[in-house]
Amino acid sequence: MNILSIASEELSAAKATLTALYNAANNDAEWLRRGQQLENLKRVKFQLNGRMTRAAGIAIISGPNFGMIKLSRKIFSDPRNAEGIEAELRNTIRHEIAHIAEPTDRKHGRAWKIAAKELSCTAEQYHEMAVTGKRRFDFQISCPRCDRNLGTLRNRVTVSRWMGNRLTNCCHVRPRATKV
């Protein structure tokens, strides 16, 4: 299975779908939106990333690398994911192309879901493939008095910056950070 050739096929299919929707647009606003989507897809480039261990794909939707779609080499070459991997790959590519087509919807909101469904994506935020990476968050922040969970932070530097002189809302004491 050649990941990049499948990615090129999916990009061509997405362009064809959006071109058909552009040609069928029945008002100026729809026509302009479809035109912008097609312009955005002209900048799409694919890259296999060997460092991604949890995310199957990432779309860069701002800055000088706008249009770059990074796909996880580790997840898509993991033998535990062999069954149904091509369908998952195609869905991931469509998912990321939908982010490029609708860059104003940074998360997985209404505009992104519409674009994803138009591109025959399942419009799900998470995949179910086996991953090799560890959890992202390292520190659990909580109240030392009532043990209320206040969230999670990634690393020691972020924890020290976040905690600073902050007090908890519940008991008005300095929060504690526990390594998870």
Side-chain angles (χ1 to χ4, degrees):
M1 171 181 74
N2 186 343
I3 295 172
L4 293 177
S5 65
I6 291 173
S8 295
E9 287 173 23
E10 288 301 322
L11 179 59
S12 297
K15 285 179 180 176
T17 300
L18 290 178
T19 301
L21 291 170
Y22 173 79
N23 293 333
N26 57 6
N27 61 45
D28 288 344
E30 179 75 6
W31 182 76
L32 286 170
R33 189 171 78 83
R34 297 297 180 190
Q36 186 59 53
Q37 287 178 333
L38 284 169
E39 278 301 309
N40 292 345
L41 291 190
K42 286 181 183 176
R43 296 178 64 182
V44 170
K45 297 179 284 299
F46 294 97
Q47 177 186 49
L48 292 177
N49 188 310
R51 295 181 63 190
M52 292 169 52
T53 58
R54 298 191 59 76
I58 295 174
I60 309 298
I61 57 174
S62 64
N65 288 330
F66 177 87
M68 174 69 71
I69 294 177
K70 296 180 180 184
L71 299 168
S72 172
R73 181 186 314 251
K74 288 185 178 183
I75 290 175
F76 290 113
S77 62
D78 192 326
R80 295 176 295 171
N81 296 325
E83 187 177 322
I85 192 67
E86 190 170 328
E88 281 286 352
L89 174 62
R90 288 182 185 279
N91 188 59
T92 300
I93 293 166
R94 291 176 192 147
H95 176 114
E96 302 309 333
I97 289 173
H99 281 297
I100 303 293
E102 286 293 342
T104 55
D105 193 348
R106 291 187 173 274
K107 301 281 182 177
H108 296 93
R110 186 173 178 267
W112 176 83
K113 285 180 181 168
I114 291 168
K117 287 184 180 176
E118 288 171 348
L119 297 174
S120 302
C121 172
T122 60
E124 294 293 323
Q125 187 171 352
Y126 300 104
H127 64 80
E128 305 221 350
M129 295 178 282
V131 296
T132 57
K134 63 179 183 174
R135 287 186 48 203
R136 265 178 37 183
F137 300 107
D138 297 325
F139 293 90
Q140 186 76 40
I141 309 300
S142 59
C143 176
R145 280 203 190 137
C146 66
D147 279 336
R148 182 175 165 208
N149 180 7
L150 302 173
T152 51
L153 294 173
R154 289 186 188 189
N155 59 45
R156 189 170 281 121
V157 173
T158 307
V159 169
S160 63
R161 283 184 189 153
W162 185 87
M163 291 184 57
N165 293 324
R166 213 170 261 185
L167 298 177
T168 63
N169 289 336
C170 49
C171 300
H172 301 291
V173 295
R174 191 159 192 264
R176 74 168 169 240
T178 311
K179 193 164 187 174
V180 179

